[in-house]
Amino acid sequence: HCWTGTYDAAMRFIEEFDVYLGLGGAVTFKAATDLHDAAARLPLDRIVLETDCPFMTPAPHRGKRNEPAYTVLTCRRVAELRGVNEDKIAAATTSNAQRLFPGLRR
């Protein structure tokens, strides 16, 4: 939930505890360089996107109440950091969320 740490720390959690990491609005913050690096390098099958509503609102809406509609901004930033299109991130993170929370499957 709300991962804001480094790539190395994230990998230790993934390897030791077999977790998924939630990326939220903080990945859009200019100063979050460690998080940018993590988002760019983490295994795509181990991340999900989240709102952390009502907190951690992504840029350019910082200071306002967060809402699920802003998840697209998080997706866009992760795609930019990874050098892929948003559809790839959206599909992978949706699949991950469905695997993590089977009740989400349609």
Side-chain angles (χ1 to χ4, degrees):
H1 165 66
C2 196
W3 183 257
T4 57
T6 66
Y7 169 80
D8 290 335
M11 289 307 299
R12 284 194 303 273
F13 276 103
I14 290 169
E15 291 165 1
E16 187 168 341
F17 301 110
D18 195 30
V19 299
Y20 292 80
L21 298 172
L23 301 179
V27 77
T28 69
F29 301 170
K30 288 180 184 178
T33 56
D34 285 343
L35 179 55
H36 297 162
D37 176 61
R41 297 171 49 205
L42 286 171
L44 189 53
D45 67 343
R46 286 301 169 153
I47 63 173
V48 294
L49 302 180
E50 64 171 306
T51 63
D52 194 33
C53 189
F55 308 108
M56 301 286 257
T57 308
H61 302 289
R62 288 186 75 175
K64 298 178 185 173
R65 178 183 163 85
N66 201 0
E67 59 183 71
Y70 295 155
T71 305
V72 69
L73 300 171
T74 301
C75 181
R76 184 172 299 142
R77 183 63 177 138
V78 171
E80 289 170 0
L81 291 165
R82 295 179 78 94
V84 300
N85 69 41
E86 293 173 46
D87 291 340
K88 180 173 183 169
I89 300 301
T93 57
T94 297
S95 177
N96 296 343
Q98 290 171 336
R99 196 168 42 258
L100 185 59
F101 303 107
L104 294 175
R105 293 185 188 132
R106 295 181 197 217

